[in-house]
Amino acid sequence: MTCRDVNECLANDGRGPCQHICYNSPGSFSCYCHSGFNLAQDKSSCLRNQDQCNCGTHGRCVRNYNTRPMCICYDGYRRSSDGLRCTDPEPPCHCGRGSTRCEEIDGVKRCTCARGYRASSDGTRCDDIDECRESENGLADCQEACHNTLGSYSCDCPQRWLRLAADLRSCEERPCNCGSGSSSCSQPNGTKICTCADGYKLALNGASCIDVNECQDNLHDCQGTCQNTVGSYRCSCPERWLRLATDQRSCEELPCSCGQGSTACSWLNGEKICTCADGYEPAPHKASCVEFPCDCGQGSTSCSQLSGKKICTCAEGYRLARNGAVCL
Ligand SMILES: [Ca+2]
Ligand SMILES: [Ca+2]
């Protein structure tokens, strides 16, 4: 007995059970589709490729023989679950300011918030916590004043004599300072009280000390001239024969000295007056005494003076005069 092949393709105008093309083979047959079509899963019908792929401008359609068309999407675009379209990427999950994390679980956004923020009631953003307003006394842990900030809060000390302490929460007194010339500074109830040192007086604003001008205000006890200094004053004696006494206030005469041959020295209207011993006479400028020139006259051989007394030695033929001061 011989078996004869049945040509399944004969029917249906040569297409047999195939929608487009039928090839008979011994004991079997195969269906094929025209160009632009793919064989469907039933192995006989054909599907139009271009009707299946719809990648648009975001990708390209890849058709392989006997497989379903598929979009290859360009970077940044997603392939739809059926593989036939390219869609915009999902916007990245974003919770905005104050968030540390954004998640989408089953399409529901959930935000994790940073310290100082809490999630909004719908969980889709983070809201600043107003620490001041939410505290019982409106101050959070500030001592004097609380200011809300995004993600935190800050303290300050409105009174001008106070400042924020290092803990940034409490207030402390500003250092009390009345400046130079002060001897003490205190600020009870925030009002600065300065005490001034000798030679200083309180400035008009009461918050610092300024120099007293003792010369101008006639508060000095200088005998001579007064010169103001910061914190004090200085006396001086303008006349050249006077000098400042050790009390630094009064003036005294300079020590009077006429030198050798003088017996007295005094000042008269700033001029030195010398009294000279015997054998001496005041020098032309009167500030010292000079020896008289020793002269025993023409007939003398020598002249000397001892304790102001002239001693003459006379030449032959001359004799000493009765006053002993000349040879005759
Ligand atoms: Ca805040
Ligand atoms: Ca002064």
Side-chain angles (χ1 to χ4, degrees), residues 35 223 227 265 275 291:
S35 173
Q223 188 183 342
Q227 187 190 356
C265 177
T275 310
E291 262 184 314

Side-chain angles (χ1 to χ4, degrees), residues 34-191:
H34 298 307
S35 173
F37 292 80
N38 278 331
L39 198 63
Q41 281 185 328
D42 63 8
K43 301 289 186 193
S44 57
S45 50
C46 293
L47 298 171
R48 188 188 288 273
N49 283 346
Q50 58 265 42
D51 290 342
Q52 299 296 307
C53 239
N54 187 20
C55 310
T57 56
H58 301 333
R60 61 189 173 86
C61 191
V62 174
R63 302 180 186 92
N64 289 322
Y65 184 72
N66 260 1
T67 61
R68 288 190 57 204
M70 186 73 78
C71 286
I72 303 295
C73 299
Y74 301 138
D75 277 354
Y77 295 91
R78 291 191 315 155
R79 186 159 55 195
S80 60
S81 52
D82 61 7
L84 299 175
R85 284 172 297 118
C86 287
T87 59
D88 286 336
E90 283 289 307
C93 187
H94 191 60
C95 289
R97 183 173 53 207
S99 66
T100 55
R101 206 169 123 186
C102 182
E103 305 175 274
E104 269 189 46
I105 299 164
D106 298 331
V108 178
K109 190 161 87 170
R110 209 165 288 170
C111 297
T112 309
C113 298
R115 200 179 145 157
Y117 291 85
R118 74 164 66 90
S120 58
S121 49
D122 62 2
T124 60
R125 63 173 199 277
C126 293
D127 293 333
D128 170 56
I129 299 170
D130 189 335
E131 294 84 352
C132 307
R133 192 177 288 183
E134 290 184 15
S135 67
E136 220 166 88
N137 57 4
L139 291 175
D141 59 352
C142 297
Q143 186 183 326
E144 296 284 341
C146 180
H147 301 288
N148 184 48
T149 63
L150 288 176
S152 187
Y153 64 100
S154 66
C155 304
D156 85 339
C157 307
Q159 295 93 335
R160 63 182 168 79
W161 69 92
L162 296 178
R163 67 179 183 188
L164 203 59
D167 65 3
L168 301 180
R169 297 284 175 261
S170 54
C171 297
E172 62 184 13
E173 266 195 16
R174 289 181 187 280
C176 194
N177 185 4
C178 293
S180 64
S182 66
S183 55
S184 80
C185 181
S186 61
Q187 40 194 2
N189 301 320
T191 308

Side-chain angles (χ1 to χ4, degrees), residues 273-292:
I273 307 296
C274 296
T275 310
C276 298
D278 283 348
Y280 290 85
E281 62 179 356
H285 53 82
K286 294 184 180 169
S288 62
C289 293
V290 291
E291 262 184 314
F292 280 123

Side-chain angles (χ1 to χ4, degrees), residues 199 211-214 228-233:
D211 172 56
V212 174
N213 190 331
E214 293 85 354
N228 185 48
T229 64
V230 175
S232 186
Y233 63 98

